[in-house]
Amino acid sequence: VDEMKQRWQMISKEEERAAGETNPERYVDKMLTNYYNVGFIHMLFPNALILHVAREPMDTIFSAYKHEFPAGPLDYTSDFPSLAEMYHAYRDLIEHWDRELPGRVTHVRYEDLVHDLPGVAKKIIEATGLDWDESVLDFHKKKQAV
């Protein structure tokens, strides 16, 4: 909880500076470990879209393995057996949330995003209740962090 609160405060300050707003209508938290917090997010924000983007297991594990994270809590990413164990625990927890909160998590396959970004992006934006804006597809041209 403290970690989430600190992250929100840090991001909130940066967003305020960038947008001039003090109370955003929407908030996106792309933290890799948010799957731990699905129940908590559901309780705090019952109308929030909880989006889970799943990638093929070997692609996920290899991507984490080849990324050089700073020393600390992600040290397990440099060890294949640890990554495999963590991946299985992650999948078990996602399945738990699907059983306990059926339909609450919106699942998207990463590969579908790659092969049909316009189609999948439109469905995601629709699920948020926002109007479609073609500039969503130009995320790579944005100067601010995405």
Side-chain angles (χ1 to χ4, degrees), residues 12-22 24:
S12 179
K13 287 177 188 171
E14 287 184 26
E15 290 293 320
E16 285 174 27
R17 275 186 249 126
E21 293 183 30
T22 56

Side-chain angles (χ1 to χ4, degrees), residues 28-94:
V28 175
D29 186 344
K30 301 181 292 184
M31 191 66 170
L32 292 174
T33 56
N34 272 342
Y35 63 94
Y36 287 126
N37 302 315
V38 169
F40 185 61
I41 294 166
H42 169 73
M43 286 174 25
L44 284 178
F45 307 106
N47 297 319
L49 171 66
I50 301 174
L51 184 65
H52 169 239
V53 179
R55 194 172 181 185
E56 287 295 321
M58 287 306 296
D59 292 338
T60 301
I61 291 170
F62 182 68
S63 177
Y65 181 78
K66 72 177 185 164
H67 190 91
E68 292 184 30
F69 291 105
L74 297 175
D75 286 346
Y76 67 89
T77 61
S78 62
D79 179 64
F80 274 119
S82 296
L83 275 167
E85 184 178 330
M86 185 67 144
Y87 187 85
H88 283 289
Y90 143 74
R91 288 303 315 166
D92 290 346
L93 194 49
I94 289 294

